[in-house]
Amino acid sequence: MKRDIFLQDLKRYGEQENIPNISWETANVLRFFLLLLKPKKVLEIGCANGFSTIFMADILEEWDGSILSLERSLPSLTQAKENVTKALLTNVHFRLGDALFLLDSDDGDFDFVFIDAEKKQTHLFFNMIEPFLSKNAVVVIDDFRKFPEKMAPFYEILKEKKKKWSMVEIPTEAGDALLIITRLL
């Protein structure tokens, strides 16, 4: 990765300031899937200070992939934009507001989606993105086990979704996991 030192510094800053960035374990899983799938269009819901955005955009740059990041917090979005500018990335686009209302039909199909936002709304985010997913899209849900009370509505809709989607949990740091979701063929 071209921006390793920048990312290490940004991660360290996030830890000092209590910014909820993804773990290195999660970053490595994202790297694996991005390098394997080589998606052209990535959607990120929740960017904090842009650590995960920059991490993914740096990889996507290799094949001209782009990322659209949706963020509800103006201070977080402002910091993420500043960090993307410092990282000299041009393949990142941002939208501010409630993610449930930020996509429209012109956005087309996303090949890869990373959801790491308000946990109690994960079920709503997943329902919202379904029409925007490409045929072979992969969806990654962060903190799948870390906040069980907040994720309870998502756990409930998964029972219904298992008819159309394949799901695999990947353990990350202690007591947590990523959920990887793909369409059933």
Side-chain angles (χ1 to χ4, degrees):
M1 297 190 63
K2 295 174 252 170
R3 296 169 177 89
D4 283 343
I5 293 171
F6 182 81
L7 284 164
Q8 289 169 12
D9 290 345
L10 189 56
K11 179 74 171 145
R12 200 170 10 265
Y13 173 79
E15 289 166 354
Q16 292 168 354
E17 298 298 318
N18 239 5
I19 296 170
N21 287 318
I22 62 172
S23 67
W24 286 114
E25 292 90 347
T26 295
N28 286 327
V29 172
L30 291 175
R31 178 193 332 257
F32 171 81
F33 279 104
L34 292 173
L35 291 172
L36 178 70
L37 303 168
K38 296 198 178 347
K40 292 296 277 178
K41 288 182 68 177
V42 171
L43 175 65
E44 176 185 47
I45 302 177
C47 67
N49 68 346
F51 174 77
S52 56
T53 313
I54 294 166
F55 185 88
M56 291 188 288
D58 183 56
I59 296 167
L60 294 168
E61 193 175 55
E62 290 182 39
W63 53 85
D64 295 322
S66 65
I67 184 167
L68 171 61
S69 187
L70 311 179
E71 177 57 56
R72 131 178 279 158
S73 162
L74 179 58
S76 292
L77 183 74
T78 301
Q79 193 172 34
K81 282 182 171 183
E82 289 171 5
N83 288 326
V84 164
T85 300
K86 288 177 191 173
L88 304 174
L89 286 162
T90 59
N91 61 340
V92 178
H93 308 281
F94 291 99
R95 291 191 191 153
L96 175 65
D98 185 338
L100 296 172
F101 306 103
L102 293 179
L103 294 179
D104 59 53
S105 58
D106 294 338
D107 289 317
D109 294 336
F110 292 97
D111 306 308
F112 189 88
V113 178
F114 180 55
I115 301 176
D116 187 18
E118 198 170 347
K119 306 308 173 200
K120 65 184 177 186
Q121 290 194 333
T122 301
H123 66 295
L124 299 174
F125 296 141
F126 188 77
N127 286 335
M128 180 265 305
I129 63 166
E130 274 189 281
F132 296 96
L133 297 175
S134 67
K135 180 182 171 195
N136 297 314
V138 171
V139 178
V140 178
I141 310 289
D142 195 23
D143 300 322
F144 182 64
R145 293 288 175 206
K146 191 173 188 178
F147 303 105
E149 303 83 24
K150 294 178 182 179
M151 295 289 276
F154 184 61
Y155 299 156
E156 280 302 309
I157 71 156
L158 288 181
K159 295 172 188 171
E160 171 195 323
K161 300 290 182 187
K162 287 185 178 187
K163 297 172 189 167
K164 294 183 354 185
W165 299 93
S166 173
M167 300 171 207
V168 175
E169 274 187 61
I170 298 178
T172 54
E173 57 275 2
D176 202 5
L178 294 170
L179 182 66
I180 313 301
I181 306 172
T182 59
R183 275 188 217 283
L184 289 173
L185 301 176

